[in-house]
């Protein structure tokens, strides 16, 4: 926080102002207005101007403050996350007025035959005005490039009325298109939650893909919107597809919906945010950042796929949008729904201990549940990566004109180049990571720092010319499938193949139009996409996650496998899921075959309780990095040795190098602290942070990560 003097107009709390900051000018957020400053008068600088934006409402300011406190992050940085980029520019001049044109009484008297026949634009404009009572700029452009000019002249004639911006306020008599008869479970869910509209109540809505959660959301949105309330629907980054928006608009053609995510153009994101702020839209669909959207009439928050890692921001303000949603719902006294097929253990634990209401959709109303089968690959020939059973399954689908998906869980599993003679493997010179072998471009690439090099002809260490690939990547699988099924159309979907803008959308379209027979891919394919002809899902190598050092790996693996299984047989075609494993007896796979997340979750919770892991304790991570390894360790030791006093409830572990201990020449390490009491941990962190901040600047960058989900 910084002090400034007001000159002339006094801004309101929550307003954005332009201030001198160092040698530059910056946009600042007014947090408080005081009579006096601790600063000497001579050092105080003046606020230059006030940006033409309504002040942020109190509840948004409170959310920003809370995030800043809880996630141990300077408030300026928190505000920075909350505001669209356009509003952080000193030159911001306010939204362009959105003029709208409506016929006046005189205008309604106009007859087409008043205009000469060759005045085609006049005829067209009149026609457009009769078809649609309010014309915006875009509508005018659709009539003709010169229609805007003509409309202006009609304003002067007194035939048109022109007004700026605000669209008539939300209607409560909106249409909804045809809908299903709800199942009893769905009806119970809708009734239970809608009875709580107007008060804080958190819910877990548990149900596998296709069990009708979205249908429940839609009914609740309908009920909330009927009361003039606004709804915030948050989804994981990758689920925010045009299909979802389309499905929504089809269902509620009259409701005003905007989306908010980081891929929007700056102007559009700002316009959507302002429209939400002004109460002109009823529904905001967005990714994690949308939690900060000021919604004056907020009535309901929905977090779909609440277990998804993309709700947690991994830099700057390291917030969890799901957790903030719960905080915010309480503050605004509205219900919050966390939807998931496989809830995070945190949420599951909250539901089981009655802190959250627990609703369950146990069946798929419109499709059967695809059976999950294990394929034991212990006996498979060395070097073979897809079993005969799986290949037969893919072949059979292909003959029937159905699609198969071969899914590779690539976490910690990527093709590497190794020398069998001396054990050398290709590593990145700037990171402590193995280089990934990209078959197509014949290069080795570092997935941490982007470094890239040609494939060596021989082992740089012993000269052996017979270098081997270790492990399969999607490109290897793609090649193998193309060879095996020469007349099938194979499509690979991963970060490389979808890098170009819109590539992924085009691909989804191709899949839906059945221009593809076999899909090969990673995470991107696991989520939320509905491909009606897809009947077989194959998971190639999920085993490595069973032996991860991350205590969340098992939970994540189950979640991911359930999710990708949900891709099989959504429509009227029966689906099947085949999982290749060397450990078919493992309890995780056994629970998966029974599609029994609950018993697995119970088991994991027992383990976590015994081991003293979240959700039974609260954690925070001090992350640090430096080009100097000794400076890094010195800093972490210093941090571990200066913990203040009176924090017996907090446990501090030893400093350790990060899993990837060096990235782009920066050594990385961390220090884990935890406590059974959230309050005690918070109290400790605030003190500790002040202490660390006061330490003289060193060559170390550091940050605190509260409730980290990755070590
Ligand atoms: P989820 O969000 O849990 O994946 P959806 O709400 O998208 O599930 O529903 C899956 C499919 O089932 C959709 O095609 C939807 O139209 C259909 N559906 C949902 N509820 C019902 C119902 N009560 N009766 C019939 N079909 C339904
Ligand atoms: Zn060698
Ligand atoms: Zn690297």
């Amino acid at each position: 926080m910084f002090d400034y003097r007001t000159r002339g107009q006094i801004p309101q709390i929550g307003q954005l102002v332009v201030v001198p900051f160092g040698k530059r000018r910056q946009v600042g957020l007014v947090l408080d207005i005081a009579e006096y400053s601790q600063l000497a008068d001579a050092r105080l600088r003046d606020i230059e101007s006030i940006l033409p934006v309504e002040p942020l409402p109190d509840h948004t300011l409170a959310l920003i403050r809370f995030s800043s406190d809880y996630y141990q992050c300077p408030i300026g940085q928190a505000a920075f996350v909350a505001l669209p980029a356009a509003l952080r520019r000193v030159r911001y001049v306010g939204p362009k007025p959105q003029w709208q044109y409506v016929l006046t009484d005189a205008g309604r008297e106009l007859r087409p035959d008043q205009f000469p026949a060759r005045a085609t634009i006049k005829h067209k404009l009149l026609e457009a005005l009769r078809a649609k009572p309010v014309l915006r700029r875009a509508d005018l452009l659709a009539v003709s490039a010169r229609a805007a000019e003509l409309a202006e002249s009609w304003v002067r004639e007194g035939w048109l009325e022109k007004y700026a911006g605000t669209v008539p306020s939300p209607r409560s008599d909106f249409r909804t298109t045809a809908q299903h008869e709800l199942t009893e479970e769905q009806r119970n869910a809708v009734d239970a939650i809608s009875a709580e509209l107007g008060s804080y109540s958190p819910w877990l809505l548990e149900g596998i893909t296709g069990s009708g959660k979205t249908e429940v959301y839609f009914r609740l949105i309908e009920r909330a919107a009927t009361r003039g309330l606004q709804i915030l629907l948050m989804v994981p980054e990758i689920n925010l597809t045009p299909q979802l928006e389309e499905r929504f608009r089809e269902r509620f053609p009259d409701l005003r919906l905007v989306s908010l995510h980081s891929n929007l153009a700056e102007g559009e994101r700002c316009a959507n945010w302002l429209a939400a702020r002004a109460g002109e839209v009823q529904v905001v669909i967005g990714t994690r950042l949308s939690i900060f959207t000021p919604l004056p009439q907020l009535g309901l928050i929905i977090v779909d796929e609440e277990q998804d890692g993309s709700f947690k921001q991994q830099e700057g303000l390291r917030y969890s949008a799901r957790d903030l949603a719960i905080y915010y719902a309480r503050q605004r006294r509205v219900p919050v729904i966390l939807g998931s097929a496989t809830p995070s253990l945190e949420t599951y634990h909250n539901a089981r201990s009655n802190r959250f209401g627990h609703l369950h959709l146990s069946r798929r109303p419109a499709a059967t549940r695809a059976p999950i089968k294990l394929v034991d690959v212990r006996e498979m020939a060395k070097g073979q990566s897809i079993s005969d059973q799986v290949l037969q399954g893919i072949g059979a689908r292909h003959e029937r004109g159905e699609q198969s998906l071969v899914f590779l869980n690539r976490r910690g599993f990527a093709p590497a180049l190794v020398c069998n003679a001396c054990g050398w493997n290709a590593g990145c010179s700037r990171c402590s990571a193995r280089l990934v072998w990209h078959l197509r471009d014949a290069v080795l690439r570092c997935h941490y720092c982007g470094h890239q090099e040609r494939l060596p002809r021989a082992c740089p260490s012993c000269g052996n010319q017979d270098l081997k690939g270790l492990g399969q990547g999607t490109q290897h699988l793609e090649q193998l499938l193309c060879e095996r099924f020469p007349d099938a159309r194979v499509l690979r979907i991963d970060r490389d193949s979808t890098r170009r803008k819109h590539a992924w959308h085009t691909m989804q379209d191709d899949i839906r139009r059945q221009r593809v027979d076999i899909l090969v891919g990673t995470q991107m394919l696991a989520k939320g996409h509905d491909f009606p002809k897809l009947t077989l899902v194959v998971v190639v190598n999920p085993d490595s996650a069973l032996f991860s050092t991350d205590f969340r790996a098992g939970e994540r693996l189950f979640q991911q496998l359930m999710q990708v299984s949900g891709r099989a047989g959504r429509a009227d075609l029966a689906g099947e899921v085949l999982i290749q494993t060397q450990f078919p007896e493992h309890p995780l796979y056994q629970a998966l075959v029974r599609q029994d997340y609950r018993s697995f979750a119970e088991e994991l919770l027992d383990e976590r309780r015994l081991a003293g892991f979240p959700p039974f304790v609260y954690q925070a991570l001090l992350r640090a990095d430096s080009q100097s390894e000794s400076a890094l360790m010195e800093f972490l030791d210093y941090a571990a040795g200066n913990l203040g006093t009176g924090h017996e409830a907090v446990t501090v572990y030893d400093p350790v190098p990060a899993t990837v201990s060096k990235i782009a020449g920066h050594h990385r390490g961390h220090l884990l602290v935890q406590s059974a009491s959230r309050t005690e941990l918070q109290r400790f962190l605030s003190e500790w942070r002040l202490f660390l901040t006061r330490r003289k600047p060193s060559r170390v960058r550091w940050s605190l990560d509260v409730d980290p989900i990755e070590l």
Side-chain angles (χ1 to χ4, degrees):
M1 276 216 268
F2 301 92
D3 288 7
Y4 285 92
R5 183 168 39 211
T6 59
R7 271 284 147 83
Q9 201 189 351
I10 295 179
Q12 287 169 265
I13 291 179
Q15 251 178 335
L16 299 172
V17 292
V18 178
V19 294
F21 191 81
K23 287 190 183 126
R24 292 180 309 156
R25 294 152 75 228
Q26 277 205 323
V27 171
L29 171 63
V30 179
L31 290 172
D32 205 356
I33 294 176
E35 295 280 320
Y36 302 101
S37 170
Q38 308 266 10
L39 280 185
D41 213 34
R43 292 186 55 207
L44 269 182
R45 300 170 79 180
D46 292 346
I47 289 177
E48 279 182 20
S49 59
I50 302 175
L51 284 194
V53 187
E54 290 276 293
L56 291 184
D58 288 347
H59 48 80
T60 302
L61 284 177
L63 181 65
I64 293 173
R65 274 182 207 278
F66 174 80
S67 316
S68 152
D69 289 345
Y70 185 80
Y71 292 104
Q72 303 292 335
C73 173
I75 190 150
Q77 216 170 337
F80 191 84
V81 174
L83 291 168
L87 299 182
R88 308 194 301 252
R89 307 225 177 278
V90 292
R91 265 189 295 254
Y92 180 76
V93 288
K96 285 196 206 103
Q98 286 284 331
W99 295 112
Q100 308 191 28
Y101 297 86
V102 184
L103 282 173
T104 57
D105 288 345
R108 268 189 286 276
E109 301 286 310
L110 287 173
R111 295 279 157 262
D113 53 23
Q114 284 176 253
F115 303 118
R118 62 194 152 71
T120 44
I121 300 177
K122 292 182 178 166
H123 285 280
K124 278 193 189 165
L125 180 60
L126 186 59
E127 214 174 292
L129 283 161
R130 289 182 160 180
K132 210 171 169 184
V134 183
L135 289 195
R136 291 169 219 217
R137 202 183 149 66
D139 303 318
L140 291 174
L141 279 174
V143 171
S144 150
R146 277 165 38 223
E149 203 182 314
L150 184 61
E152 285 297 316
S153 75
W154 285 16
V155 171
R156 289 190 295 274
E157 298 278 358
W159 298 337
L160 281 181
E161 211 164 10
K162 168 180 168 187
Y163 59 96
T166 16
V167 181
S169 39
R171 292 166 36 179
S172 54
D173 58 336
F174 57 88
R175 284 171 294 163
T176 65
T177 58
Q179 38 187 249
H180 307 287
E181 180 91 30
L182 291 185
T183 64
E184 195 180 327
E185 286 175 326
Q186 283 174 318
R187 193 151 20 85
N188 285 344
V190 172
D191 289 345
I193 299 169
S194 54
E196 300 293 331
L197 284 174
S199 58
Y200 168 66
S201 72
W203 299 90
L204 165 59
L205 179 63
E206 188 185 350
I208 55 166
T209 308
S211 62
K213 296 185 294 297
T214 309
E215 185 63 37
V216 170
Y217 303 155
F218 280 3
R219 298 292 175 113
L220 287 164
I221 287 170
E222 191 182 329
R223 296 213 185 165
T226 310
R227 301 194 194 175
L229 300 172
Q230 291 177 302
I231 299 101
L232 173 61
L233 170 58
M234 287 201 286
V235 297
E237 245 151 55
I238 207 146
N239 289 24
L240 195 62
T241 57
Q243 281 80 27
L244 177 67
E245 279 190 53
E246 222 168 87
R247 186 173 165 191
F248 196 94
R249 288 188 211 276
E250 221 167 79
R251 180 66 169 267
F252 302 112
D254 304 323
L255 282 189
R256 294 203 62 205
L257 158 86
V258 292
S259 59
L260 277 176
H261 52 89
S262 53
N263 283 341
L264 285 182
E266 196 176 298
E268 196 177 1
R269 183 177 157 203
C270 183
N272 289 354
W273 189 92
L274 289 170
R277 160 80 185 92
E280 292 166 10
V281 304
Q282 286 104 336
V283 184
V284 172
I285 299 190
T287 53
R288 61 170 181 261
L289 57 83
S290 62
I291 186 62
F292 293 103
T293 318
L295 295 167
Q297 305 299 332
L298 182 69
L300 174 67
I301 306 178
I302 301 167
V303 185
D304 192 32
E305 304 280 0
E306 64 85 29
Q307 83 289 350
D308 196 274
S310 75
F311 286 121
K312 171 94 173 165
Q313 170 140 314
Q314 296 291 3
E315 70 205 1
L317 178 70
R318 293 168 176 266
Y319 65 102
S320 153
R322 178 206 51 212
D323 295 349
L324 285 185
I326 296 163
Y327 168 83
Y328 195 51
R330 176 184 309 213
Q331 186 199 340
R332 300 290 304 273
R333 299 200 186 85
V334 302
V336 54
I337 307 171
L338 308 184
S340 178
T342 47
S344 65
L345 287 191
E346 282 78 4
T347 297
Y348 185 73
H349 180 57
N350 277 328
R352 230 184 43 146
S353 48
N354 294 325
R355 275 190 287 271
F356 292 178
H358 194 168
L359 298 163
H360 195 205
L361 306 180
S362 60
R363 284 173 298 117
R364 282 175 142 189
T368 52
R369 203 186 257 232
I372 300 180
K373 297 173 188 160
L374 302 175
V375 178
D376 186 344
V377 291
R378 277 175 293 196
E379 303 292 304
M380 198 160 70
K382 209 163 195 286
Q384 187 182 352
S385 48
I386 303 187
S387 70
D388 295 335
Q389 184 187 345
V390 167
L391 288 170
Q392 278 160 19
I394 295 174
R397 295 311 185 295
H398 178 40
E399 269 162 32
R400 293 207 293 267
E402 296 169 14
Q403 294 168 324
S404 302
L405 159 62
V406 179
F407 178 79
L408 182 69
N409 178 3
R410 207 165 48 171
R411 256 202 134 85
F413 182 78
L417 193 66
V418 298
C419 169
N420 283 342
C422 76
W424 170 87
N425 66 59
C428 178
S429 51
R430 306 159 68 200
C431 310
S432 64
R434 279 203 312 216
L435 292 174
V436 177
W437 179 10
H438 286 248
L439 196 65
R440 173 129 335 156
D441 314 328
V443 293
L444 297 168
R445 198 173 288 149
C446 173
H447 282 199
Y448 290 95
C449 75
H451 165 79
Q452 183 169 310
E453 61 188 58
R454 302 266 295 306
L455 221 53
R457 288 183 187 286
C459 171
S461 159
C462 75
N464 170 19
Q465 302 211 341
D466 187 24
L467 294 176
K468 288 251 168 9
L470 185 74
Q472 261 83 37
T474 43
Q475 298 187 354
H476 293 77
L477 285 174
E478 178 190 21
Q479 196 178 44
L480 189 154
L481 289 163
C482 286
E483 281 163 14
R484 177 72 191 230
F485 302 104
D487 63 333
R489 293 158 298 180
V490 179
L491 179 67
R492 176 173 53 90
I493 295 171
D494 56 22
R495 224 173 285 162
D496 294 323
S497 73
T498 53
R499 191 162 296 148
R500 269 182 311 114
K501 213 177 168 187
H502 304 311
W504 177 213
H505 286 156
T506 316
M507 287 180 182
Q508 292 183 51
D509 207 49
D510 286 345
I511 302 169
R512 236 170 243 119
R513 287 163 197 261
Q514 293 185 61
R515 297 196 191 111
V516 177
D517 303 306
I518 305 173
L519 295 152
V520 180
T522 51
Q523 273 69 289
M524 300 191 70
L525 273 176
K527 299 180 187 175
H529 307 289
D530 186 4
F531 302 130
K533 280 282 178 183
L534 183 66
T535 55
L536 176 65
V537 168
V538 176
V539 183
V540 175
N541 193 336
D543 287 341
S544 54
L546 296 177
F547 308 102
S548 166
T549 50
D550 184 343
F551 68 87
R552 283 191 174 86
E555 175 189 347
R556 288 218 187 95
L557 178 61
F558 198 109
Q559 288 165 345
Q560 190 178 48
L561 293 179
M562 273 301 275
Q563 204 164 38
V564 68
S565 301
R567 302 298 122 238
R570 270 196 84 137
D572 44 356
L573 290 170
E576 184 180 18
V577 182
L578 298 174
I579 296 180
Q580 293 195 166
T581 173
Q582 305 203 33
F583 306 91
E585 285 93 29
H586 194 285
L588 186 149
Y589 292 131
Q590 289 300 320
L592 192 70
V593 168
R594 297 195 310 270
Q595 311 207 19
D596 180 4
Y597 182 64
R598 287 193 175 191
S599 75
F600 181 67
E602 294 289 340
E603 225 169 277
L604 286 182
L605 276 178
D606 284 343
E607 277 173 35
R608 299 246 188 120
R609 185 183 296 108
L610 282 174
F613 283 138
F616 301 97
V617 299
Y618 301 94
Q619 297 185 324
L621 202 62
L622 172 64
R623 299 175 182 276
D625 70 79
S626 170
Q627 281 176 312
S628 151
E629 197 173 357
S630 58
L632 170 70
M633 287 329 273
E634 223 171 87
F635 172 77
L636 288 176
D637 285 338
Y638 172 81
N642 291 277
L643 302 167
T645 49
H647 299 298
E648 289 74 21
V650 176
T651 311
V652 179
Y653 291 89
D654 291 331
V656 285
T659 317
V660 182
S661 60
K662 189 173 148 203
I663 292 184
H666 283 257
H667 299 268
R668 305 160 71 237
H670 58 236
L671 189 57
L672 182 68
V673 298
Q674 72 179 39
S675 172
S677 155
R678 195 171 234 161
T679 326
E680 288 299 319
L681 184 64
Q682 280 292 319
R683 201 168 60 78
F684 165 74
L685 289 175
S686 311
E687 244 178 69
W688 203 37
R689 172 159 73 113
L690 274 185
F691 182 78
L692 295 176
T693 311
R694 277 198 225 104
R695 187 177 188 253
K696 283 197 200 71
S698 63
R699 288 166 299 159
V700 177
R701 276 189 312 196
W702 61 269
S703 63
L704 283 168
D705 186 353
V706 180
D707 303 331
I709 59 169
E710 262 165 48
L711 293 193

